Amino acid sequence: MKENGRSDPADLFAVLAAGLVAHLGVVVDGHPMVVPTVYGYDTERIFLHGSVASRSLTGAGQEVCVTVTVLDGLILARSVFEHGVNYRSAMIYGIPRPVTDPDELLHGLRLLTEHAAPGQWDYARRPSRKELAATRLLALPLAEASVKISDGDPSDGDGPDAALGLWAGRLPVVSTWGSPAPDPLLPPGIEAPPHIARRTGERAN
Amino acid sequence: MKENGRSDPADLFAVLAAGLVAHLGVVVDGHPMVVPTVYGYDTERIFLHGSVASRSLTGAGQEVCVTVTVLDGLILARSVFEHGVNYRSAMIYGIPRPVTDPDELLHGLRLLTEHAAPGQWDYARRPSRKELAATRLLALPLAEASVKISDGDPSDGDGPDAALGLWAGRLPVVSTWGSPAPDPLLPPGIEAPPHIARRTGERAN
């Protein structure tokens, strides 16, 4: 697998921009636990949502590893041994901080919301004071991060297996947004707003 | 978020069938680490590939958590607070075993290959004895697994926020296979075989 570590912060932000779900790794009573969670980020930190994670972590001062992976496709080589995947992945390490300040909770929730659904923060009803108090967010600095990007062709095209005459190449996988499906309880006549409707068919990663 | 734990093994196998990448959580010198890896599975165990993982784990007898998550879409509610995601996720816990027996290595590699690219095991050149010896696989029993599936509509359609008159619903996200891209080193005249070519446009999850 042609896998390259990257040290340019732009690569980290590109992976964070492309991903939708992060996998949060924590150690609970000595046992590793990996939970999926949505996220948002600014230039300094990643904000994570999720009651499971928060329950395990709030106030614990424990290290976590947050991994965001975007799968770009398969590398189909002439030999099984040279098969691989093309992907972009970011791992962020550190000790997260529970967000408790109402302004920072708002900031974090806005980033989370806008990352998954740009435009929703201005469209939907924003959190009340009570809802904010019930929101569990974690903030993790982006200072310790490692990015790996694999973007390659099969590596056996100039070796002895080339003589097998087999097809080899990449098989891409692409995530796209589907058509919005209205809530069954929605009264007739309310159309999906442009910031939602125009995503149909657009790449999600 | 309408999130349901599932205990039917069929749900576990459905998540494993739909996913392509697993996130493997390990504890290395007390630090959590989450690495993406491809996988295969049979009725008893999941097989994981990946040198990083194997290096940390081989022979260590350490517990891991393997999480496979498939994102199905966003739940866009009338209020930001009720936003969520629809997803299917499986967490598998246990102590993995390095696979060393050549027959089991072949079995595991076949499952891995066929999970990502059905048909490749019979099409591509199978591993030599030397390649098998260089293959790092881990086997983890499926005995301890937990499955969560969230498949819901916004939950604020019958509350006070319904009066806001805002659109609400689901925004699906779908992964599909793209067109195979031939290796630049491939001689002209070798077409992608049917088991690859026919996937174009098919759902990947």
Side-chain angles (χ1 to χ4, degrees):
Chain A
M1 204 183 304
K2 201 177 290 175
E3 183 183 274
N4 295 305
R6 307 290 174 107
S7 52
D8 187 340
D11 289 317
L12 170 62
F13 290 110
V15 173
L16 293 179
L20 285 165
V21 169
H23 281 83
L24 168 68
V26 296
V27 184
V28 181
D29 300 329
H31 309 290
M33 188 173 148
V34 178
V35 290
T37 173
V38 290
Y39 66 91
Y41 62 96
D42 58 23
T43 55
E44 301 294 325
R45 56 190 66 79
I46 183 169
F47 291 92
L48 306 165
H49 195 260
S51 51
V52 175
S54 304
R55 223 179 300 133
S56 320
L57 288 170
T58 302
Q62 281 207 337
E63 205 181 325
V64 304
C65 174
V66 174
T67 300
V68 174
T69 305
V70 179
L71 178 66
D72 289 320
L74 307 178
I75 303 174
L76 302 172
R78 289 130 187 107
S79 69
V80 164
F81 189 72
E82 299 293 345
H83 277 55
V85 291
N86 283 324
Y87 69 96
R88 293 164 278 164
S89 185
M91 295 166 70
I92 303 154
Y93 300 91
I95 297 176
R97 174 175 54 80
V99 178
T100 52
D101 175 72
D103 287 342
E104 196 185 13
L105 270 172
L106 264 183
H107 171 70
L109 257 186
R110 182 176 64 77
L111 293 171
L112 242 93
T113 307
E114 289 290 298
H115 175 57
Q120 277 297 98
W121 188 255
D122 284 337
Y123 181 77
R125 179 178 64 72
R126 293 191 192 167
S128 67
R129 190 176 291 237
K130 195 176 163 187
E131 287 170 341
L132 267 190
T135 298
R136 298 280 167 265
L137 280 193
L138 295 169
L140 178 67
L142 295 176
E144 292 234 40
S146 128
V147 175
K148 281 185 184 163
I149 296 174
S150 171
D151 180 23
D153 288 299
S155 58
D156 54 3
D158 53 3
D161 286 334
L164 295 171
L166 296 172
W167 185 88
R170 307 173 184 217
L171 185 63
V173 63
V174 178
S175 282
T176 48
W177 295 106
S179 302
D183 184 348
L185 296 182
L186 201 69
I190 303 181
E191 298 300 323
H195 70 276
I196 299 299
R198 71 166 171 247
R199 297 185 91 179
T200 305
E202 275 183 12
R203 279 191 74 141
N205 60 7
Chain B
M1 205 183 304
K2 200 178 289 175
E3 183 183 276
N4 294 306
R6 307 288 174 109
S7 52
D8 186 342
D11 289 317
L12 170 62
F13 290 110
V15 173
L16 293 180
L20 286 165
V21 169
H23 281 83
L24 168 68
V26 296
V27 184
V28 181
D29 300 330
H31 308 291
M33 189 173 147
V34 178
V35 292
T37 173
V38 290
Y39 65 90
Y41 61 96
D42 58 23
T43 55
E44 300 295 324
R45 57 190 66 80
I46 182 168
F47 291 92
L48 305 165
H49 194 261
S51 52
V52 175
S54 303
R55 224 180 300 136
S56 321
L57 288 170
T58 302
Q62 281 207 338
E63 204 181 326
V64 304
C65 174
V66 173
T67 300
V68 174
T69 304
V70 179
L71 178 66
D72 289 321
L74 308 178
I75 303 173
L76 302 172
R78 290 132 187 106
S79 68
V80 164
F81 189 72
E82 298 294 344
H83 277 54
V85 292
N86 282 324
Y87 70 96
R88 293 164 279 163
S89 185
M91 296 167 69
I92 304 154
Y93 302 90
I95 298 176
R97 174 175 55 79
V99 178
T100 51
D101 175 72
D103 287 343
E104 196 185 13
L105 270 171
L106 264 183
H107 171 69
L109 257 186
R110 182 177 64 78
L111 293 172
L112 242 94
T113 307
E114 289 289 298
H115 176 57
Q120 277 298 97
W121 188 256
D122 283 338
Y123 180 77
R125 179 178 64 72
R126 294 192 193 165
S128 67
R129 191 177 291 237
K130 195 176 162 188
E131 288 170 341
L132 266 192
T135 298
R136 298 279 166 266
L137 279 193
L138 295 170
L140 178 67
L142 295 176
E144 292 234 40
S146 128
V147 176
K148 281 187 183 163
I149 297 175
S150 171
D151 178 24
D153 288 298
S155 58
D156 54 4
D158 53 3
D161 286 334
L164 295 171
L166 296 171
W167 185 88
R170 307 174 184 217
L171 186 62
V173 63
V174 179
S175 282
T176 48
W177 296 105
S179 301
D183 184 348
L185 297 182
L186 201 69
I190 303 182
E191 298 300 322
H195 71 276
I196 299 300
R198 70 166 170 246
R199 296 183 94 179
T200 305
E202 274 184 12
R203 280 191 73 141
N205 59 8

